[in-house]
Amino acid sequence: ELITLAQSLDLPLGLLSEEKVFNVATSTDHPSLYSTMNPLLTHLPTLISELQEDRVYNKAVIGFDQAFLDAQIQKIPSEIRESFEVIKSRDMLLEFMPKGVTKAYGLSLLVRDLGLKQTEVMSIGDEENDLSMLHYAGLGVAMANATEEVKQAADAVTSSNEADGVAQAIEKYVLNEGR
């Protein structure tokens, strides 16, 4: 489904599995920018016929120019959104994960395993992929450099990532040094 979608949107698709990115030839005119965003992963040009059906692909990504990507996102059919988590995690990055796989879900598993209460959790985020986690946590904190949507969803806003915002939030809300 995602290969067909990427082809119809003329966007490059990368499939992630075990620290490898299988870059599928879904667009002849638009090369993926994902390798520049995550250079530590191994990026492999891959034909659709070379994909292994028994391999576990953790997520699919589209890394491309923001203006074109944003225009194409508007064309994603509701059927895809019903089957996958479709989340923009950076200006130039769109991610697809199995339905229900979100940061909030991962956080809920950690909370359960640690025997914590949801109200005892603070999450900090800056992009759309952090929204579920900010809503889940007892205290959701947005970075100053977060998107407007993230700031609106958060309970508090801290300084930017370049001004030690995470450390400031931990000091204020966890270590209580700001009170």
Side-chain angles (χ1 to χ4, degrees), residues 103-104 106-108 110-111 114 116-126 130-143 153-159 164-179:
K103 288 186 178 186
L107 192 54
S108 73
L110 181 62
V111 165
L114 295 176
L116 298 173
K117 296 176 188 157
Q118 187 174 342
T119 57
E120 297 175 303
V121 174
M122 177 178 75
S123 66
I124 304 173
D126 63 351
D130 298 318
L131 285 169
S132 67
M133 178 179 66
L134 293 172
H135 289 299
Y136 173 85
L139 178 64
V141 180
M143 303 298 294
D155 301 304
V157 177
T158 187
S159 295
D164 300 325
V166 171
Q168 290 177 27
I170 291 170
E171 288 171 356
K172 182 173 183 176
Y173 299 111
V174 178
L175 302 177
N176 298 312
E177 291 181 8
R179 293 186 182 182

Side-chain angles (χ1 to χ4, degrees), residues 2-176:
L2 295 179
I3 290 170
T4 302
L5 173 69
Q7 289 171 325
S8 71
L9 298 177
D10 195 22
L11 286 168
L13 184 69
L15 302 172
L16 279 75
S17 177
E18 300 176 11
E19 298 184 18
K20 292 184 178 95
V21 182
F22 297 91
N23 293 309
V24 184
T26 53
S27 173
T28 54
D29 297 327
H30 300 122
S32 176
L33 300 177
Y34 190 62
S35 63
T36 62
M37 292 180 240
N38 285 308
L40 298 179
L41 298 175
T42 302
H43 295 265
L44 304 167
T46 307
L47 298 173
I48 295 169
S49 61
E50 296 173 330
L51 295 171
Q52 300 170 349
E53 287 189 31
D54 59 343
R55 178 182 282 275
V56 175
Y57 298 98
N58 308 42
K59 68 179 173 179
V61 296
I62 293 174
F64 198 68
D65 172 74
Q66 180 182 358
F68 186 74
L69 179 60
D70 286 348
Q72 298 307 80
I73 287 172
Q74 302 306 313
K75 300 174 185 176
I76 296 174
S78 60
E79 298 81 29
I80 294 291
R81 294 181 187 278
E82 290 167 9
S83 299
F84 298 93
E85 297 293 338
V86 181
I87 299 172
K88 201 164 175 205
S89 59
R90 296 189 209 170
D91 289 345
M92 301 183 335
L93 184 60
L94 183 65
E95 298 182 353
F96 299 86
M97 275 99 36
K99 197 67 173 173
V101 176
T102 64
K103 288 186 178 186
Y105 176 67
L107 192 54
S108 73
L109 296 177
L110 181 62
V111 165
R112 181 197 67 202
D113 290 350
L114 295 176
L116 298 173
K117 296 176 188 157
Q118 187 174 342
T119 57
E120 297 175 303
V121 174
M122 177 178 75
S123 66
I124 304 173
D126 63 351
E127 290 286 347
E128 180 184 335
N129 63 333
D130 298 318
L131 285 169
S132 67
M133 178 179 66
L134 293 172
H135 289 299
Y136 173 85
L139 178 64
V141 180
M143 303 298 294
N145 56 294
T147 65
E148 262 324 294
E149 185 179 15
V150 170
K151 289 179 186 175
Q152 293 297 319
D155 301 304
V157 177
T158 187
S159 295
S160 75
N161 58 332
E162 294 180 3
D164 300 325
V166 171
Q168 290 177 27
I170 291 170
E171 288 171 356
K172 182 173 183 176
Y173 299 111
V174 178
L175 302 177
N176 298 312

